[in-house]
Amino acid sequence: MTLDEIRRKIDVCDDEIVKLYKERMTLVKDVAEVKKASGLPTENTGRERQVLNRVTATLPDELKLYAKQVFDTMFSTAKAYETGIINTESPTRKLIEDALKESGAYPVSATVACQGIEGAYSQQAAEKLFSIPNIMYFKDWNAVFGAVEKGLCEYGVLPIENSTAGSVNKVYDLLQMHNSYITRCVKLRIAHSLLAINGTSIKDIKEVISHEQAINQCSKFLTKFKDVKITRCDNTATAAKLVAERNEKGVACICSKDCAAIYGLKVIENEVQDNSYNYTRFIAVSKKMKIFDGAKKISILVSLPHETGSLNKLLNRFSALGLNLTKLESRPIGSSPFEFAFYFDFEADIRRADIQNLIAELDNGCEKFVFLGGYEEL
């Protein structure tokens, strides 16, 4: 046969497949109605395994794994279709529904906890997240979460990810530890400057002070200094304050250029970060789950069974609902060697019933599921 003749035969097969797929999905709808009436979940891994064993039994070994991929995809689309019919209940879904009942515009003003001191990047982020923030400063990120948890502040503002240095894993861990929820997010361009006391030139510098993240983001710039001492501190603005207090020509700091006016320092060099496209995502967190108008992004953490294909099956669920994943990152589970939890960020309207159903199914079916928030990203 010629290639065209072969393709025409494939077209006939495809037409038959489409007819059978339509018939199968009609039956899936009937199954969904029965499950809805009976309160049964959409997930049934035992049934899926039975189907796979049966349909691959007569196939040659070289085709079995390909057939498995085809049927795994069909299972995913079937569950996505069922999701639109069945209203799956779960504790997390109830919290989301309650939060949506109180939904409204994001607050203009609030008491906000930030790590550091005046001039910190978290302050700049807070001023973008809230029009009129009443900022209280705390020593570290744990203290920020503590202030929110104890009700001292309504919100906390923290860095969650940098375009150069990657995720701030400590903040992700603290999110779970303190049972906090993301309410809004902003991307802030981070432009680091080298500051020192007046009269200092770049050749005088023997020590540079900054936060570890800023030092990592300026590693190439720092290689130009020979035998320079790198001193890490809690915050970039704290570094500026230390330089001002020490009042030594040989000491400089990496921080925002805004700190020059605040602490009476001189800008030695601007834009010292390695990458001009250097952005940090800052989140606002609250103790209680709050979902405001414009929330079109969702963050979750999922722990999956340690077995072949478990992550792929979950990714198929997102794909079947047409969801755009913007972040997928694994984190080791401390109590289980070589096992991982996965952070997902995806774009979706939390008000959609099928999205709430998906979240409820993950909540009920995963070894561990944490809803980190439904929010707007500025």
Side-chain angles (χ1 to χ4, degrees):
M1 286 189 293
T2 65
L3 182 59
D4 286 342
E5 288 172 335
I6 297 170
R7 284 175 171 168
R8 280 195 291 271
K9 287 183 175 289
I10 289 176
D11 288 342
V12 172
C13 289
D14 289 343
D15 292 341
E16 289 300 313
I17 289 171
V18 168
K19 289 178 185 177
L20 290 171
Y21 181 73
K22 182 180 178 182
E23 182 179 342
R24 191 182 197 281
M25 293 301 276
T26 300
L27 295 170
V28 165
K29 184 178 180 181
D30 294 338
V31 168
E33 295 291 354
V34 172
K35 287 182 177 179
K36 183 177 181 180
S38 306
L40 297 172
T42 57
E43 190 81 25
N44 189 338
T45 54
R47 165 67 177 165
E48 291 176 10
R49 191 164 50 250
Q50 290 172 4
V51 172
L52 279 174
N53 287 334
R54 179 175 55 79
V55 298
T56 60
T58 58
L59 287 175
D61 287 348
E62 63 180 12
L63 293 180
K64 284 185 176 181
L65 288 179
Y66 296 113
K68 182 181 184 300
Q69 291 180 47
V70 170
F71 275 84
D72 279 344
T73 301
M74 281 206 299
F75 295 152
S76 296
T77 58
K79 282 181 282 192
Y81 190 41
E82 287 182 25
T83 292
I85 300 169
I86 300 172
N87 287 322
T88 307
E89 300 300 329
S90 82
T92 299
R93 182 172 190 164
K94 181 64 168 61
L95 288 173
I96 291 170
E97 289 172 344
D98 290 344
L100 287 172
K101 289 175 185 175
E102 301 176 9
S103 178
Y106 204 77
V108 172
S109 60
T111 305
V112 180
C114 289
Q115 187 264 338
I117 59 176
E118 194 74 17
Y121 288 111
S122 58
Q123 172 203 325
Q124 296 179 26
E127 290 171 344
K128 288 184 176 293
L129 289 162
F130 301 88
S131 299
I132 312 172
N134 178 15
I135 299 175
M136 297 178 66
Y137 292 103
F138 295 86
K139 178 177 173 57
D140 54 35
W141 295 327
N142 190 51
V144 170
F145 277 102
V148 174
E149 191 171 45
K150 294 171 185 174
L152 185 61
C153 295
E154 297 171 85
Y155 299 91
V157 171
L158 305 111
I160 196 74
E161 183 180 20
N162 177 262
S163 57
T164 302
S167 294
V168 186
N169 292 322
K170 180 65 175 176
V171 173
Y172 272 115
D173 294 340
L174 288 168
L175 264 172
Q176 297 180 69
M177 185 186 304
H178 291 275
N179 296 316
S180 299
Y181 298 96
I182 303 171
T183 62
R184 208 178 206 186
C185 179
V186 64
K187 283 195 289 187
L188 182 71
R189 184 172 184 269
I190 305 298
H192 293 304
S193 296
L194 185 71
L195 275 58
I197 63 171
N198 288 322
T200 302
S201 68
I202 200 163
K203 64 183 180 182
D204 298 322
I205 296 170
K206 302 298 181 187
E207 181 181 2
V208 176
I209 306 173
S210 195
H211 186 269
E212 186 168 7
Q213 285 275 334
I215 291 168
N216 292 340
Q217 293 164 23
C218 302
S219 58
K220 291 180 183 177
F221 171 76
L222 290 171
T223 59
K224 72 193 300 182
F225 297 98
K226 292 184 178 179
D227 302 320
V228 69
K229 178 183 177 183
I230 304 297
T231 302
R232 291 162 174 79
C233 67
D234 294 333
N235 184 270
T236 54
T238 301
K241 187 170 183 281
L242 288 171
V243 169
E245 290 172 348
R246 287 177 58 173
N247 197 33
E248 301 172 21
K249 282 188 176 181
V251 183
C253 59
I254 292 175
C255 57
S256 165
K257 67 178 180 180
D258 294 348
C259 289
I262 296 171
Y263 298 105
L265 300 174
K266 169 189 174 184
V267 176
I268 304 297
E269 192 168 337
N270 279 318
E271 300 281 346
V272 299
Q273 66 275 7
D274 297 341
N275 190 338
S276 59
Y277 187 83
N278 186 31
Y279 285 81
T280 294
R281 291 175 65 216
F282 284 85
I283 54 173
V285 301
S286 66
K287 179 180 179 180
K288 180 182 177 183
M289 185 189 296
K290 299 179 181 181
I291 301 174
F292 295 99
D293 295 345
K296 294 293 177 65
K297 194 161 192 175
I298 296 170
S299 293
I300 60 174
L301 178 143
V302 177
S303 177
L304 300 173
H306 190 51
E307 59 187 40
T308 303
S310 59
L311 177 58
N312 186 57
K313 287 180 181 178
L314 181 55
L315 293 176
N316 282 340
R317 298 293 301 279
F318 285 101
S319 178
L321 288 172
L323 301 178
N324 179 33
L325 284 175
T326 58
K327 181 184 181 75
L328 169 57
E329 183 170 322
S330 63
R331 287 280 286 144
I333 298 173
S335 59
S336 304
F338 304 109
E339 291 195 31
F340 297 86
F342 296 89
Y343 287 106
F344 292 88
D345 287 353
F346 58 98
E347 295 173 348
D349 187 345
I350 192 64
R351 292 165 178 79
R352 280 172 48 183
D354 57 348
I355 301 302
Q356 292 182 28
N357 281 332
L358 173 64
I359 288 170
E361 289 166 15
L362 296 176
D363 192 20
N364 292 330
C366 292
E367 294 182 1
K368 181 178 181 180
F369 175 80
V370 181
F371 181 79
L372 298 174
Y375 54 94
E376 176 187 24
E377 181 166 284
L378 302 178

